[in-house]
Amino acid sequence: MKTIYNSIREEVVKHSKVKNSVLGNVQEWKRSHYIILSEIIKDELSEAEELKGGKKFEIGNTISHVTLQRFFENDYQDKTHNDLRFLKTLDKICIFLGYKDLNAYIQFVKEKRQENEENNNQKFLQIVYDYCSTVFEFYKQFPDHKTEMFKELVFDESPFLERASQFSKELCDRDFQLVTKNNRSNYEVFDIHVVTDEPDKKILESQEFWNLLFKVGETGEEHFVNQLNTQIYFIRKINNVWKIWDNYNPDAGRLNNIK
């Protein structure tokens, strides 16, 4: 509830009627400013549809400047701010903000938080999708070894890039070439989800299916990769930039073991 309490205070300050009044030009409100705020809220509540029925007599349509000053200047306390009279005050402030009541505002904040979390997670899911797409394009370049293709997705100094570079360089040296004609090689990434969510570290788990056909140089010797596995991606934030730092792939280096 403390988060809701603070959020409501911020919303009141940002309200257009408050910002466009003398209050919008004052850094620190005094008693006279809360009197003005009380009048602004009173004018809005007098026109509010939510208070045109019996609810007006239940909770009233005014808030005293004393109550508003306590609301803005006192820290949240469970005992004080769960009082029924204070909850009615919050109902009126939420109606002033354009919501049906306090419960409607709480639901709005909850949905907004969930939406923000989903959008934030999508950013990291996209890193994995982009990485897999880049890997496939990287294979298409064989036997050219173009590790610079990963620059935007993987940290240069990461153990993952060093390990992946070593595996792929060996295949390029052996003149491996990816066969893409008639969709002979393809991949699919699905069921990605965030396992660990920390301010500077995310761990994601994905299910990946790789169906690849490589031919070796002039001999035409064929090597198949047909595997479904679970991969773990460790994504870090360094210098305010998010990239892949490491990866656990149970089948890494499989082609390198083919003689």
Side-chain angles (χ1 to χ4, degrees):
M1 191 64 187
K2 183 176 181 179
T3 302
I4 296 296
Y5 180 84
N6 292 331
S7 177
I8 290 173
R9 290 198 293 199
E10 292 173 4
E11 290 293 326
V12 170
V13 173
K14 292 188 291 186
H15 191 284
S16 60
K17 289 292 177 68
V18 175
K19 285 180 66 176
N20 294 328
S21 73
V22 66
L23 301 180
N25 299 315
V26 179
Q27 293 295 322
E28 185 178 349
W29 291 350
K30 304 295 184 182
R31 178 178 177 275
S32 59
H33 298 116
Y34 289 107
I35 293 174
I36 295 172
L37 178 61
S38 176
E39 288 299 315
I40 292 173
I41 292 176
K42 173 184 164 186
D43 290 344
E44 286 294 297
L45 292 183
S46 67
E47 301 295 326
E49 289 294 329
E50 288 78 10
L51 294 176
K52 293 221 171 146
K55 193 161 187 177
K56 173 182 176 181
F57 300 100
E58 178 187 342
I59 68 173
N61 64 349
T62 62
I63 306 174
S64 74
H65 72 274
V66 175
T67 298
L68 288 170
Q69 189 164 1
R70 283 202 303 264
F71 173 62
F72 275 90
E73 294 183 355
N74 296 346
D75 290 333
Y76 176 84
Q77 296 177 355
D78 286 334
K79 184 176 181 181
T80 303
H81 296 112
N82 280 323
D83 177 85
L84 180 59
R85 286 174 299 176
F86 188 74
L87 292 178
K88 287 183 178 180
T89 295
L90 292 183
D91 262 337
K92 286 183 280 188
I93 294 176
C94 289
I95 292 171
F96 166 70
L97 293 175
Y99 301 89
K100 181 180 178 182
D101 53 23
L102 173 60
N103 286 333
Y105 182 77
I106 291 173
Q107 184 62 29
F108 166 77
V109 171
K110 180 180 177 182
E111 291 174 357
K112 186 176 180 181
R113 186 182 300 123
Q114 289 176 339
E115 181 181 341
N116 289 340
E117 288 175 356
E118 289 172 1
N119 290 339
N120 189 49
N121 285 345
Q122 186 59 42
K123 168 185 174 181
F124 299 105
L125 269 58
Q126 192 61 49
I127 289 177
V128 174
Y129 283 120
D130 290 346
Y131 169 74
C132 292
S133 174
T134 303
V135 168
F136 193 65
E137 293 302 315
F138 175 65
Y139 290 154
K140 288 181 180 180
Q141 306 301 316
F142 280 15
D144 291 335
H145 191 241
K146 297 184 177 181
T147 54
E148 64 273 13
M149 295 175 67
F150 298 105
K151 187 171 183 62
E152 299 301 317
L153 296 166
V154 183
F155 284 113
D156 290 338
E157 66 276 20
S158 67
F160 178 35
L161 186 60
E162 181 180 349
R163 197 166 57 246
S165 296
Q166 180 182 342
F167 288 150
S168 56
K169 183 64 165 60
E170 291 177 11
L171 298 180
C172 288
D173 290 343
R174 293 165 63 183
D175 204 16
F176 270 56
Q177 299 171 25
L178 186 69
V179 179
T180 57
K181 188 176 180 180
N182 296 325
N183 199 33
R184 294 294 301 278
S185 296
N186 50 70
Y187 74 97
E188 183 178 358
V189 184
F190 54 97
D191 194 24
I192 306 180
H193 62 277
V194 177
V195 177
T196 299
D197 187 353
E198 298 178 5
D200 296 319
K201 181 179 71 175
K202 315 292 178 184
I203 299 177
L204 279 70
E205 181 180 89
S206 70
Q207 297 289 319
E208 299 177 16
F209 174 70
W210 291 88
N211 180 51
L212 308 173
L213 170 61
F214 289 95
K215 284 190 176 182
V216 181
E218 296 181 357
T219 68
E221 180 185 353
E222 294 184 342
H223 295 291
F224 292 94
V225 174
N226 188 272
Q227 61 192 36
L228 172 66
N229 59 31
T230 299
Q231 295 203 37
I232 308 293
Y233 292 88
F234 300 84
I235 301 175
R236 290 179 58 186
K237 183 180 182 182
I238 300 177
N239 295 326
N240 210 36
V241 175
W242 287 98
K243 291 185 185 182
I244 298 172
W245 177 257
D246 211 346
N247 159 273
Y248 171 69
N249 176 1
D251 296 309
R254 175 178 170 182
L255 279 171
N256 300 74
N257 297 322
I258 297 175
K259 304 302 182 181

